[in-house]
Amino acid sequence: MELSVAVAEAGHYDVIVLGLGGVGSAALYWTARHAQEQQQRDPTAKALRVLGLEQFELGHHRGSSQDHSRIIRLAYDHAHYTRLAPHMYMAWRSVEDECGVTLLLNTGILVFGASSNRVIADYADAMSAQGIPFEDMTGEAAMKRWPQLNLNTGPEGDRVLYQSDAGIVDPRKANAAHIALARARGAYTLDNTRVESVLPMGTGGSYRITTESKGVFTCDKLIVAAGAWTNHCLKGLGSHVPMTVTKEQVTYYETRHLRKFAPSNFPVWIAYDGNHEDYYGFPVYGEMGTKAGMHGGGKEVDPDKRDFDADLHARDKLNAFLKRKIPDFLGPIMYTKTCLYATPPDDDLVLDLLPHHPNVAITIGAGHGYKWASFFGLVLSELALKGSTCYPISAMSIKRPALGATFDGSKTGPHKATL
């Protein structure tokens, strides 16, 4: 007996999610879950119809939520993130419990850079403020523990922070798990369905979504998790969020030292190398090799016209950094893979309701959002279904002045980037 996925058709839905990448697939799952749980508590409650629309095939590699691994961590350099990070882990664990599949791999994390680098101190301050335990050590001490490192020593040497509750979240498995669980709870999905326009329907708070190939859909609640295509979705709602869309990349290396960089022997890491050059990397996972990249700095692109070619200059800079700091991490290049960042002017995440459209919830990942995917999906579902959330997300407001977003032609504040 063959079982098929319920087919979505044009028509009306209570909630529609635009974009089924990392956060969008999570929002679909949590919305379907919350709707089903509400009906179980109150059998007289209306059964909600929930739909997710994706312009490409599910699991595609054209956006931001792809590949084998993303870093997940409690360690952050801002207190508003360290306050929320434990909830992030709780959301992922809940998904793991329901699907019975391991999505997270614990490795610990190293955050390091020159002892004079203020960002390292910010990490220590933010973790201390939240009571997150971590180890603070010199370059010498870190190299004794992880001889794979080649750090600067002495009074002006490197400072290294180690936090044990960190590791890898697997986007391939996690996105698929969210979709599968959402469908099991009654949600519909349509991929290869590009949205042409999103328009309000009168003053009642409903929305009309016209697609290029699958007809017209309407909904009472809308969740926008479209990444680099966010403003395309917001145009018909009179809103615009300044963001820079860039092509970024990671490179896999066929290291000759697999055991040294097995997840049990070497953690994920983030390095602040000065001159606004930040690097990050992973032990052996997903491929039989190590993986590293530079955070940001990629070329600005049109997401519909960009290529998938490696930036050789950026890769040369990464190679040079690794040769200095973690030389055995290197090996013959297996391949370089690209993705997109959609980054607001202040490099911070967005998670909020859209002004003038209280039935529209929105998120933007800012190049460091995947670890938050399941938790953000949970919050987006609450914002959509209830109009509010109990979690402290005010720092990610779409109305913050540094963002400079516009709503119906009214700007919230100046475009001011804060590093």
Side-chain angles (χ1 to χ4, degrees):
M1 177 180 177
E2 289 188 6
L3 297 178
S4 59
V5 175
V7 177
E9 297 178 346
H12 185 76
Y13 293 81
D14 296 282
V15 184
I16 291 180
V17 180
L18 300 184
L20 292 178
V23 180
S25 64
L28 186 75
Y29 160 68
W30 283 103
T31 301
R33 174 172 167 168
H34 288 154
Q36 189 180 73
E37 290 173 345
Q38 173 61 29
Q39 192 176 36
Q40 289 171 347
R41 289 191 297 268
D42 179 7
T44 65
K46 175 186 175 184
L48 300 185
R49 281 164 52 86
V50 182
L51 170 67
L53 297 178
E54 169 55 54
Q55 65 175 322
F56 304 116
E57 71 278 4
L58 294 178
H60 68 85
H61 292 267
R62 296 174 178 86
S64 306
S65 305
Q66 57 210 40
D67 204 20
H68 309 287
S69 52
R70 291 290 189 276
I71 292 175
I72 184 168
R73 53 192 166 106
L74 294 175
Y76 249 102
D77 56 341
H78 291 290
H80 58 269
Y81 289 133
T82 54
R83 280 194 297 270
L84 285 173
H87 302 294
M88 168 183 68
Y89 272 87
M90 291 175 63
W92 283 118
R93 296 303 183 194
S94 181
V95 176
E96 286 185 320
D97 287 345
E98 183 168 341
C99 71
V101 176
T102 299
L103 305 176
L104 309 183
L105 174 66
N106 193 79
T107 66
I109 188 170
L110 293 170
V111 179
F112 62 91
S115 57
S116 59
N117 192 319
R118 181 62 216 176
V119 177
I120 309 300
D122 290 341
Y123 270 89
D125 292 346
M127 287 191 287
S128 296
Q130 188 60 27
I132 296 172
F134 65 96
E135 298 177 52
D136 191 345
M137 64 191 86
T138 63
E140 293 97 327
M143 287 190 290
K144 288 180 181 178
R145 188 162 171 183
W146 294 282
Q148 301 94 324
L149 297 170
N150 182 38
L151 303 179
N152 296 330
T153 61
E156 303 300 320
D158 288 326
R159 181 182 182 184
V160 183
L161 308 180
Y162 175 72
Q163 209 290 315
S164 61
D165 301 305
I168 293 169
V169 55
D170 190 322
R172 299 167 307 165
K173 294 195 295 183
N175 295 352
H178 280 135
I179 292 293
L181 294 176
R183 286 170 170 167
R185 289 180 177 271
Y188 297 86
T189 61
L190 266 182
D191 60 354
N192 294 303
T193 305
R194 182 175 173 86
V195 170
E196 190 175 84
S197 65
V198 180
L199 297 171
M201 296 172 59
T203 59
S206 296
Y207 297 91
R208 175 187 175 94
I209 301 166
T210 302
T211 69
E212 291 184 354
S213 60
K214 304 291 177 62
V216 176
F217 301 80
T218 60
C219 64
D220 299 319
K221 308 284 187 177
L222 181 64
I223 296 174
V224 179
W229 292 269
T230 296
N231 283 320
H232 172 76
C233 298
L234 296 182
K235 184 176 180 180
L237 304 181
S239 301
H240 178 84
V241 181
M243 67 176 73
T244 303
V245 177
T246 56
K247 185 183 77 170
E248 308 295 343
Q249 64 187 37
V250 294
T251 296
Y252 282 87
Y253 298 94
E254 192 178 331
T255 178
R256 299 296 191 248
H257 306 277
L258 292 173
R259 180 174 289 276
K260 285 185 179 181
F261 294 100
S264 58
N265 294 328
F266 199 73
V268 297
W269 53 270
I270 300 174
Y272 293 89
D273 200 41
N275 299 318
H276 302 292
E277 291 182 0
D278 309 334
Y279 300 92
Y280 62 96
F282 301 78
V284 176
Y285 182 88
E287 298 283 5
M288 199 52 62
T290 52
K291 168 185 166 182
M294 180 188 295
H295 177 62
K299 295 179 181 178
E300 189 170 356
V301 296
D302 180 331
D304 291 316
K305 299 177 181 178
R306 63 99 163 194
D307 61 44
F308 295 80
D309 300 331
D311 182 331
L312 300 183
H313 176 65
R315 193 167 70 186
D316 286 345
K317 293 174 74 172
L318 173 63
N319 291 344
F321 169 81
L322 292 171
K323 186 175 181 179
R324 282 191 292 115
K325 295 294 188 179
I326 323 175
D328 287 345
F329 195 94
L330 286 166
I333 291 173
M334 300 174 71
Y335 60 87
T336 295
K337 191 170 191 175
T338 65
C339 69
L340 294 177
Y341 278 16
T343 310
D346 59 0
D347 296 327
D348 252 334
L349 304 171
V350 172
L351 184 64
D352 204 353
L353 290 168
L354 190 65
H356 309 305
H357 295 281
N359 290 339
V360 179
I362 182 172
T363 187
I364 299 172
H368 57 109
Y370 192 86
K371 65 183 76 65
W372 299 98
S374 197
F375 173 65
F376 275 23
L378 184 159
V379 172
L380 287 166
S381 73
E382 291 186 342
L383 292 174
L385 295 175
K386 301 190 300 183
S388 64
T389 180
C390 63
Y391 296 101
I393 62 170
S394 60
M396 290 173 277
S397 171
I398 198 171
K399 299 180 291 294
R400 61 183 187 264
L403 202 58
T406 55
F407 315 107
D408 292 336
S410 176
K411 184 183 286 191
T412 60
H415 295 228
K416 180 184 178 183
T418 56
L419 300 178

